[in-house]
Amino acid sequence: MSNWEASNFRGKLPIRVFSRSLAVATYSCFLQVKGNEKNLLSLAKLALFCFEIECVMEFPSFDHLNVWRECANVRVWILFLLLLLLKSDVCSGSDYLVGLGSYDITGPAADVNMMGYANTGQIASGIHFRLRARAFIVAEPNGNRVVFVNLDACMASQIVKIKVIERLKARYGDLYTEENVAISGIHTHAGPGGYLQYVVYIVTSLGFVHQSFDVIVDGIEKCIIQAHENLRPGSIFVNKGELLDAGVSRSPSAYLNNPAGERRKYKYNVDTDMTLLKFVDDEWGPVGSFNWFPTHGTSMSRTNSLISGDNKGAAARFMEDWFEQKDYGRTDSVVFEDDALPRRMSNIIPSHHDNHRELLELATSFQSPPGRPVTKTSSVAKRVRSAHRKVGKRRFVSAFCQSNCGDVSPNVLGAFCIDTGLPCDFNHSTCGGKNELCYSRGPGYPDEFESTRIIGERQFRKAVDLFNAADEEIEGDVDFRHAYIDFSQLEVTISDQGYSEVVKTCPAAMGFAFAAGTTDGPGAFDFQQGDDKGNPFWKLVRDMLKTPSREQIDCQHPKPILLDTGEMKKPYDWAPSILPIQILRIGQLIILSVPGEFTTMAGRRLRDAVKMVLTSEEDFEFDDIHIVIAGLTNTYSQYITTYEEYQVQRYEGASTLYGPHTLSAYIQEFKKLAEALIYGEPVEPGPLPPDLLEKQISLLPPVVLDATPLGVNFGDVCADVPRNSTFKSGDMVTASFWSACPRNDLMTEGTFALVEFLQEKDAWIPAYDDDDFCLRYKWSRPSKLSSRSKGTLEWMIPQGVTPGVYRLSHFGAAKGLFGSIHHFTGSSTAFVVA
């Protein structure tokens, strides 16, 4: 090779050959960021191969030995640059590790009072669909991490979080603490109570219910373990959109007491934005979504006795099933008509059989068999979702989280008098002076199950839209701040137009309007919302428990005190005084964890105050940040209204425990957390809340014995499906079985109820279980002290169901005379769905 040729080779090579090879190498690095290591290796080899081909094609007349010697040197440079790119910040792979988990937290489906309405007559007696704990973990590969857990429960509980953190510390050390773990409740009013540690919240459940508490603690721990073990490189996207028809103000008269200028800043008297996170695994693709939107979990009424996740739990079930069908390519079976919810069918049910007569003959050969004993694992093994998940495929986890829902009702048709049908009184929500007659109506009125479905579906539809369109990627640090604050005696500095005043919060107290309830679930006797005077008779009753001091009365003014819970200490604390506040940061998303129910305007003020702190500092990297309020998080302290709403003393104001300056106290303390967050400074942890587990009192009697009539087995059918029956979509199929108390075994991650489909001619496969919206399990007994009971299964056949032969099956566990537990099952006569 001549000197001219060699110089031409060296000059030409970097321009035409090396650039092409480097481009391929760079693209392979990009794919590595997306998590496809096999493509990375293949393209790296392709880069080198392309380089060698280019050498030959560009210099065919040159001495091949010299050319390949030059090529070898450049090949080394290609490999070096490829490795450099893989390690560099330019192409460093995912910024986050992402993990999600989900676990069953369905509590006792019998004998236990439901948490939410404080209605002593609302006792659990079956399952509408199961409750779950869902968690995500976001971690920097070598840095901070945060955990957010969403519970299908009325609210979080301080004692629950204390015990969860103890377990996590025992397992992981200081990786997960009270500072970076948030536990939030969706506010369903259809879950078993008795899992909070303060007296006022467990009176109606006859004290503490260990079974309710244990299943929630266990479920939270297990879903966090799942999320931890699922941590993998991934990306997060955020999206926000407007949802107008899933919530209305249930206290518009209180909202109107806010300054007119402030109200003019907003189009509606409720917040209408849903904010959604989309989690994408680098290898698996989308693995989950969490969203925040404010609406109460009160689509199910105060007389409902079936455990239910209400509208938010339903929305989560719909979205997880939608993604499962989408993931299996079964998008044709997802129905999006206005009158239909997303349907889930078994992914292994074959195409339908057209011969109706043959199906009837086949069904006739399967009469109801006698009940029989089974192993405990049978109901778990037959669960639909565990049976149908792809091997090695991770569960898609979708959570519909609560926000500032304090004055937001899902009963969007409004409040009406049940005696006249006329609208209730605007200021007091009464009918002829009686609050007991004023009820709000959901969109499916008078069917509460239909209202739950509709509001759940509206949230689900919006979440799907946001999920599919999410393109703003979360970028930036993961961080958190947490503090405990004593709200019973906190000094608060209030500034207004240059004037400053120091005020104080008060020990917790509940006003007279608290006992009036809301239009979602009115109270009893002669209490009314908007009562700022009180009643002499009820004050006398109050004083028998605890007479509030003059200082307390003045501090809480204009609230007339019905229960001075903050100063009631026997047999132990009636209400919390030390509360946790917390900020979680994931890039440009800020989660404000609040231990109560903020009203719409209170939530707006808190978000605005935190945003002002964060965006006023040059060091903070995002001007356009997303701030969400996670309501009912880490513990529960009832409501937080604005100062102006507090003056009206509707239900929410009467339930604002710490006096008229409660919101100002939250804003003051959250601003401190926000400042510490942006400056990277620690915060004072504050005084620890009490652990009252050892002091808890339970008056709920245990299950003594289960029995059946002479000659009858547990699981025998006592009311069968008619023989030779044919049903269609929209029909209700019912069967009842001799059963036992569901408190004997909660069937965690299992099922009490199953719809089975006949595959071929002799194999029954699970199609629907008691985690499906369309299948209800009802438990009953003839009297409270009776040892006999029945389990009734009701299957509302959904649209799009596969025609064929079906049967209903029941699982249960019976307690013997000496305390042993025996599991059993029974099945109905088979029937045809055409």
Side-chain angles (χ1 to χ4, degrees), residues 595-609:
E597 305 174 59
F598 276 61
T599 61
T600 298
M601 193 63 84
R604 289 167 175 171
R605 290 184 189 178
L606 177 63
R607 285 197 303 263
D608 289 348

Side-chain angles (χ1 to χ4, degrees), residues 740-769:
C741 183
R743 289 166 59 195
N744 295 325
D745 189 331
L746 302 182
M747 298 294 181
T748 303
E749 289 292 355
T751 185
F752 289 102
L754 198 64
V755 176
E756 295 181 290
F757 177 85
L758 184 63
Q759 189 177 38
E760 302 301 335
K761 293 187 177 181
D762 57 359
W764 291 99
I765 60 174
Y768 299 88
D769 60 26

Side-chain angles (χ1 to χ4, degrees), residues 368-391:
S368 172
R372 58 186 176 84
V374 293
T375 62
K376 180 178 179 179
T377 58
S378 294
S379 77
V380 177
K382 291 199 171 186
R383 286 192 74 247
V384 171
R385 287 162 186 81
S386 60
H388 297 163
R389 189 170 299 115
K390 287 180 180 179
V391 175

Side-chain angles (χ1 to χ4, degrees), residues 207-362:
F208 196 75
V209 180
H210 283 275
Q211 204 169 29
S212 296
F213 170 79
D214 289 340
V215 73
I216 292 176
V217 173
D218 290 344
I220 295 172
E221 180 192 22
K222 287 183 170 63
C223 80
I224 292 176
I225 291 172
Q226 283 182 18
H228 177 85
E229 293 178 348
N230 289 338
L231 278 171
R232 293 166 48 84
S235 302
I236 310 167
F237 298 85
V238 64
N239 200 2
K240 182 170 70 173
E242 190 174 64
L243 175 58
L244 295 177
D245 54 358
V248 296
S249 176
R250 68 183 189 186
S251 284
S253 60
Y255 180 87
L256 288 173
N257 208 43
N258 291 306
E262 182 179 35
R263 287 186 279 113
R264 280 194 293 269
K265 293 164 53 180
Y266 304 99
K267 189 175 181 180
Y268 303 103
N269 60 0
V270 295
D271 280 343
T272 58
D273 283 340
M274 175 183 285
T275 301
L276 177 139
L277 289 183
K278 176 179 180 179
F279 299 96
V280 182
D281 185 285
D282 280 355
E283 180 179 359
W284 288 106
V287 290
S289 70
F290 277 55
N291 70 72
W292 289 264
F293 177 80
T295 193
H296 250 75
T298 50
S299 293
M300 301 297 288
S301 73
R302 68 191 299 272
T303 59
N304 163 64
S305 64
L306 300 185
I307 291 175
S308 174
D310 209 277
N311 57 71
K312 285 189 175 290
R317 169 52 53 237
F318 298 161
M319 189 153 185
E320 289 175 348
D321 289 342
W322 164 79
F323 189 86
E324 176 188 321
Q325 291 179 187
K326 177 177 177 288
D327 191 40
Y328 272 91
R330 294 287 297 274
T331 54
D332 59 307
S333 61
V334 182
V335 182
F336 282 94
E337 285 83 357
D338 289 340
D339 60 346
L341 55 80
R343 307 298 186 185
R344 183 204 49 73
M345 299 186 299
S346 165
N347 293 296
I348 58 176
I349 290 179
S351 300
H352 70 269
H353 204 303
D354 290 325
N355 192 328
H356 180 251
R357 175 178 292 182
E358 183 178 337
L359 291 177
L360 272 177
E361 292 176 354
L362 193 58

Side-chain angles (χ1 to χ4, degrees), residues 677-700:
L677 188 74
I678 58 177
Y679 290 121
E681 297 174 350
V683 295
E684 289 293 327
L688 292 177
D691 179 344
L692 302 176
L693 187 59
E694 297 303 319
K695 295 184 177 181
Q696 295 301 312
I697 298 171
S698 178
L699 302 178
L700 180 69

